[in-house]
Amino acid sequence: MKSKMSDELAVTVGGGGHRIGIISADGVMVPSGGHEMEIHNPATGSVIGTLHEADAGEIDAVVAGAKAAYERVWRRTAPETRGRLLAAWADSITSHREELADIEVADVGHLRREVLADIDNSSRLLRYYAGIADKLEGRTFAQLPDRLSYGLDEPFGVVAGVSPYNGNANFVAMKAGPALAAGNCIVIKAPEVAPLLNYRMVELALKAGVPSGVISVVTGRGETVGPLLTEHPDIGMIAFTGGPDSGRAIIHQSATNIVPVFLELGGKSPAILLPDADLDVAIPSLLHSNFAKSGQSCVTGSRIFVPDSMYAQVSERLGQKAKTLRVGLPTKETSQMGTLINRRHRTRVDGLVKRAIDAGAVCLAGGAPAEDGELANGAFYQPTVLAEVTDDNPAALNEAFGPMASVLSYSDVDEVIARANSSEFGLSAQIWGNDARTIQHLSKSLIAGTVWINTYRSFHPTVPFGGMKQSGFGKENGFDSVAMYTRRKAVVWDLTTERELPYSHNETTLADTARSRDGKYKVRVMT
């Protein structure tokens, strides 16, 4: 049995905090019964709400509602209207940014300024796709005599969006924005460890005028709810952000109905210092690249390659600077790094650090949980810098998804290219220096979807972003992203007025057939 929520998600319900279940064509619902899970504040360990895990019947109902919304409403909605509704959604997010930040800080444990940056970027993304909505065009193909051939880029209908917890605002906008602009409806699977912002942002979309069923949200354990959604016969395409193992599972699930997928699967990105790099700029930037969001980012420059001649100096400076960073409650303005998502994940990060040290790495800073004072009940970890890391060290091979930076030495450019490219990942890379010729050579040679030069984590709605190798395939941002949510249909129209009809010899005589000037036959069918 389902009961409709009487208040918005942002309103505390009873003493248990937020209660979330399903947003669908039927509205905002919290089904009774079924499997429920607690939602914890990772900085304090306190329970801030509960979630209802969607079951097979509920997923069927959600997808059916989305399909009906697509067929009856959204596919018939003019592109300029879709754009206007996306813009209204962006405005609503902007006007609720402080409320949204409160939710996300408590749910994920990022610093407030990090959360606000994500929220502001989500508004920017949605405004960008609002502008694209009425600018999508088809194309004509070869101009053949008496024939018209053209392509139509059509939506899939209902698509699925599955994302992790580390950038909720961005992920909602990066998936829903292009999906809706292209004319699709979308069902979002929110991360069970931090689902609240997904729900509140979609509530704001509905309040802004987006029709019910165009954006739906469900949540629950990935291994349970994920296949129910991604293997559903009415899901036409899957957009997934997460880890490689989950990505492989998504590929297998997509084979059930043979639907296309977009995958962004993380990275182990190189950050290459050149001999002429400005260390006063590069060192704090490299550390922030690794420690923003407590290192829970797919684009951390976690393999820092330093020339042999500079290695001792750079390693020491990185370690010293890391020791000065203030780990603290994400609600405090003085904090420079917040918490990991939960203690289970912290144990995994700590285990990787310990294995790296056992394999020969030298810990210059951090290397243990942060548990003093007000941090005791959270999942905090110290900013960690490891030196003397070799290419076969666990720290150089595995994505930590935590605050762990590794420093490696190199002797020449060709060597560092080969070693940087030896990773199974290929999401991003950083180059720090001013030698234009070397930078250009590196940029062309590095196997990475994005190469940042004297910058990092630099995103813009117009710049496509996506991985190579086991970092996935497909692009987010820009017109490339909208293309991921469409399928091309070719239309071929024969305009000839005179033609030879198949099997015409059974119906005509030679006396009734005359050859035309262009070699074709004019056929008069006998009656």
Side-chain angles (χ1 to χ4, degrees), residues 158-233:
V158 183
V159 302
V162 183
S163 300
Y165 62 87
N166 59 308
N168 283 308
N170 283 325
F171 291 136
V172 169
M174 291 171 78
K175 289 179 172 57
L180 269 60
N184 300 281
C185 294
I186 187 170
V187 180
I188 294 172
K189 191 276 177 185
E192 68 271 23
V193 292
L196 296 177
L197 196 69
N198 287 256
Y199 282 81
R200 185 59 182 141
M201 286 183 68
V202 173
E203 282 186 331
L204 293 178
L206 300 178
K207 289 170 69 72
V210 175
S212 296
V214 172
I215 314 175
S216 304
V217 191
V218 298
T219 192
R221 292 165 293 181
E223 65 273 17
T224 302
V225 177
L228 294 176
L229 179 61
T230 56
E231 296 180 6
H232 196 283

Side-chain angles (χ1 to χ4, degrees), residues 389-413:
V389 175
T390 56
D391 292 339
D392 59 352
N393 189 288
L397 297 172
N398 300 287
E399 184 179 29
F401 221 63
M404 182 193 77
S406 302
V407 193
L408 302 88
S409 62
Y410 74 92
S411 58
D412 60 60
V413 171

Side-chain angles (χ1 to χ4, degrees), residues 9-20 36-41 46-51 196:
L9 172 73
V11 176
T12 298
V13 181
H18 306 290
R19 293 182 64 236
I20 59 171
E36 290 196 347
M37 300 170 63
E38 292 181 338
I39 306 169
H40 293 88
N41 182 324
S46 61
V47 176
I48 58 174
T50 58
L51 64 86
L196 296 177

Side-chain angles (χ1 to χ4, degrees), residues 34-78:
H35 183 71
E36 290 196 347
M37 300 170 63
E38 292 181 338
I39 306 169
H40 293 88
N41 182 324
T44 65
S46 61
V47 176
I48 58 174
T50 58
L51 64 86
H52 169 82
E53 180 176 85
D55 63 24
E58 290 157 356
I59 294 292
D60 285 344
V62 169
V63 175
K67 183 179 180 181
Y70 169 73
E71 293 176 345
R72 299 172 187 172
V73 179
W74 201 240
R75 71 181 302 181
R76 306 175 189 276
T77 301

Side-chain angles (χ1 to χ4, degrees), residues 67 70-71 75 136-139 141 150-159 178-179 181-185 233-238 257-261 479-491:
K67 183 179 180 181
Y70 169 73
E71 293 176 345
R75 71 181 302 181
L136 302 177
E137 300 175 346
R139 57 174 293 192
F141 302 125
Y150 59 93
L152 298 174
D153 292 336
E154 298 182 337
F156 289 97
V158 183
V159 302
N184 300 281
C185 294
D234 288 325
I235 293 294
M237 175 265 184
I238 304 165
N257 299 301
I258 312 180
V259 298
V261 296
F479 280 86
D480 285 2
S481 181
V482 179
M484 296 295 302
Y485 291 89
T486 61
R487 51 188 172 184
R488 174 153 293 180
K489 175 188 290 180
V491 178

